[in-house]
C-alpha cells in the first residue's frame, strides 16, 4: 500500500510518514495541492492524506481537480486538517473525501480511519 502525504508543514509530513510507515505504507510527500496533483498523475497512490490550508493549491482545490481527472473512487482521500466546522466537513465529503481527521492526530486515530477505509487487514 502507498500513501501520498500532502501538507505544507514539514513537521506534519514527517509525523504522518512515521505513523503511516508504522502501518506498512510506502509514503511520498507533497508540499501543496499542485505538487500532489503531479504526484498522483505520476503514480496513483492508494491513499492521499490531505491538509486543507496550503499555499499554491489548497486541499479542497486538489480534491476537486483530482476527482475531475480520476473519478470519485481513486485515490482514497483522508482530509487531515484543523478545519472542524460541520460546514467544512460536509464540503470536503461532498467534494469526494472518504474520511476526515482533525489535527492533531495520532497512530490510533489514523489506524482507525485506515481500518474503516479497508486499508488495514489486522486492525480492530
Amino acid at each position: 500500500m502507498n500513501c501520498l502525504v500532502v501538507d505544507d508543514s514539514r513537521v506534519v509530513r514527517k509525523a504522518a510518514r512515521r505513523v503511516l510507515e508504522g502501518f506498512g505504507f510506502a509514503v511520498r510527500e507533497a508540499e501543496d495541492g499542485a505538487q500532489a496533483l503531479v504526484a498522483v498523475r505520476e503514480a496513483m497512490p492508494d491513499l492521499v492524506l490531505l491538509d486543507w490550508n496550503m499555499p499554491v493549491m489548497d486541499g479542497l482545490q486538489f480534491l476537486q481537480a483530482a476527482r475531475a481527472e480520476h473519478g470519485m473512487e481513486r485515490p482514497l482521500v483522508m482530509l487531515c486538517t484543523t478545519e472542524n466546522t460541520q460546514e467544512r466537513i460536509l464540503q470536503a465529503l461532498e467534494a469526494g473525501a472518504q474520511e476526515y481527521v482533525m489535527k492533531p492526530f495520532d497512530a490510533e486515530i489514523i489506524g482507525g480511519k485506515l481500518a474503516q477505509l479497508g486499508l488495514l487487514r489486522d486492525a480492530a
Side-chain angles (χ1 to χ4, degrees):
M1 302 297 286
N2 58 71
C3 180
L4 177 63
V5 175
V6 187
D7 199 297
D8 56 325
S9 167
R10 188 173 58 81
V11 172
V12 172
R13 289 195 314 270
K14 189 174 200 172
R17 173 183 285 275
R18 190 169 34 252
V19 167
L20 289 159
E21 287 177 343
F23 289 117
F25 281 80
V27 178
R28 293 182 297 150
E29 298 179 15
E31 294 180 19
D32 60 54
Q35 287 182 8
L37 206 51
V38 170
V40 167
R41 289 174 184 148
E42 290 173 352
M44 179 66 70
D46 297 299
L47 174 69
V48 175
L49 187 66
L50 181 66
D51 186 25
W52 191 309
N53 298 304
M54 297 177 288
V56 184
M57 176 186 275
D58 71 25
L60 191 64
Q61 291 168 325
F62 162 82
L63 184 55
Q64 291 165 336
R67 292 301 181 229
E69 255 183 67
H70 304 288
M72 295 300 282
E73 300 303 316
R74 291 196 67 223
L76 293 175
V77 175
M78 184 187 313
L79 230 70
C80 183
T81 181
T82 58
E83 295 288 342
N84 63 0
T85 65
Q86 187 71 19
E87 178 183 327
R88 293 294 249 182
I89 294 168
L90 286 173
Q91 188 179 11
L93 295 174
E94 287 171 0
Q98 280 87 0
E99 280 295 340
Y100 202 96
V101 174
M102 297 305 305
K103 288 180 183 175
F105 57 85
D106 61 20
E108 183 178 346
I109 291 168
I110 297 294
K113 294 293 186 175
L114 292 172
Q116 288 176 2
L117 289 170
L119 296 175
L120 288 185
R121 292 175 198 87
D122 299 327

